[in-house]
Structures are given as C-alpha cells and as structure tokens.
Amino acid sequence: AAPRSRMAPKVAKAKKASGDKAPKYYPADDIPVKEPSERELNSRGIAKLRKSITPGTVLILLAGRFRGRRVVFLRQLASGLLLVTGPYQVNGIPLRRVNQAYVIATSTKVDVSKVDTKKFDDSYFGKAKAAKKGKKSGDEMFEEASKAPVTSEARKADQLSVDDALMGSLKSNPLLPKYLKARFSLSKADKPHLMKF
C-alpha cells in the first residue's frame, strides 16, 4: 500500500470586523450628490391607483385565499394596498387588504358613500406577535396546532357596520348579490385578452 501523506492541521484565521476594512478607492475630487429627478421623487410613496379602480368598483381577486371571488373596493390605504370587502353577509369575504396588481377591475359599481372607512388603516390588519415560549412536549405541540384563531367582537362589529351600509345599495339591484357570490373562472375556449369586464 502507498504511504499516506500527512496533512497539516487547519488553522482558523481570526475574521476581521467589516468596519476594519479600508476602502479600495478614494475619489480624487468631490463628487456632487445627484439630485433626484421629479419622476424619482414621485415614484417614492404609495402606489398610484389605477384609473379603472374607484370606490365602489367590483374587483375580481386573482391571488390569495379568495382567488376567483368578487369583492367591493372601499378605498386605498396609506401603504398603497386596497381595502376591500365581500360583503361578508353576501359571499363570506371579510374586510381585507389586497395588492392592486392581483385584481381585475370590472365595470360594475356599488354605492359606498354610506360606508365609514376612517378607522381602517394598515395597523388595524396587523397580527399581534405571540411571545416565544420554552420547549414543549409532543402532546402540547398538537394541542396548540388545533387551536383556531378567534375573531374579536370588535372586529365582528366593524364588519357588521360595513356590511349593513353596503347591503342597502345592494338591495336596489337584486342581481348584484348573485353576481358577487358567483366565482370567476376561465374555460379552455375563453380568451381573457378579448373580454370586457
């Protein structure tokens, strides 16, 4: 058998802190800071709302838990997300935030002038972070997984107030609740680029 070559033991090198490293390039002259253009200044901030989306527009959701369902647009929030609702009494979709990139705006409108949406902002929808706990036994893990999230009474009351305001305008047209309940889907022969929503 061929003799084995002895390998030198690996020596761990002490890593330098990222702040110790000297820059590779020093500018010879003072480089002026570029002033942001008007277009760049306008692009910062909330997303611009599409012209086809106005308060009361019926939207079709394209992603998420309720994809393929129709909702009523109420207003745009500070983050740029859209505040929508089913209403819950009609199709079971509660007050939600959705990105306008994942909706199709239809030509159908619902009167939302009586709906008060002042109290709904982005902080209203944030989940409260649960405190970290120590290690659990196997039985405790399964017990916690079976617990369903509970909707607070305040949220239920908010949803009811929005639904009541919307139901008045929906009753004027008996076909609107049926339209909002119906799912949107495409079959093999459908051509979405030729459709008028």
Side-chain angles (χ1 to χ4, degrees):
R4 287 185 179 175
S5 60
R6 285 191 173 180
M7 292 176 68
K10 287 187 178 179
V11 180
K13 292 180 181 177
K15 288 185 179 179
K16 283 186 177 180
S18 58
D20 298 346
K21 204 171 186 181
K24 290 182 180 179
Y25 167 75
Y26 290 98
D29 302 316
D30 289 332
I31 297 169
V33 178
K34 183 180 172 274
E35 292 274 331
S37 67
E38 192 178 335
R39 182 183 59 80
E40 286 172 325
L41 287 169
N42 290 338
S43 68
R44 295 173 193 164
I46 68 167
K48 193 176 178 184
L49 195 62
R50 294 204 310 246
K51 287 179 184 175
S52 57
I53 302 174
T54 56
T57 303
V58 174
L59 308 174
I60 298 167
L61 301 180
L62 300 176
R65 184 182 162 197
F66 297 106
R67 61 183 169 274
R69 308 292 295 277
R70 292 179 170 91
V71 292
V72 178
F73 168 65
L74 301 174
R75 72 179 177 93
Q76 189 178 27
L77 300 170
S79 62
L81 297 174
L82 312 180
L83 176 66
V84 299
T85 186
Y88 189 80
Q89 289 179 25
V90 175
N91 56 16
I93 302 173
L95 283 160
R96 289 175 70 81
R97 293 179 300 174
V98 294
N99 190 324
Q100 64 177 327
Y102 301 108
V103 299
I104 296 173
T106 67
S107 57
T108 311
K109 305 273 183 195
V110 177
D111 180 26
V112 292
S113 58
K114 293 175 184 173
V115 182
D116 183 27
T117 59
K118 287 174 187 172
K119 73 179 295 183
F120 304 115
D121 55 0
D122 291 297
S123 60
Y124 178 85
F125 294 95
K127 282 186 180 177
K129 287 187 178 178
K132 287 190 177 180
K133 295 171 186 173
K135 289 188 177 180
K136 301 171 194 125
S137 66
D139 295 334
E140 287 175 345
M141 286 171 69
F142 288 113
E143 282 175 21
E144 202 163 285
S146 62
K147 286 179 185 175
V150 181
T151 308
S152 68
E153 292 301 319
R155 286 236 173 162
K156 287 178 183 176
D158 292 340
Q159 182 69 58
L160 195 64
S161 67
V162 171
D163 282 6
D164 288 343
L166 275 172
M167 289 309 286
S169 55
L170 292 179
K171 281 175 186 172
S172 61
N173 186 349
L175 291 177
L176 260 178
K178 290 180 182 179
Y179 175 71
L180 290 168
K181 275 183 192 176
R183 283 180 179 271
F184 171 77
S185 61
L186 294 169
S187 65
K188 198 174 181 181
D190 290 336
K191 297 174 182 175
H193 63 287
L194 297 176
M195 288 182 179
K196 285 188 178 178
F197 297 98

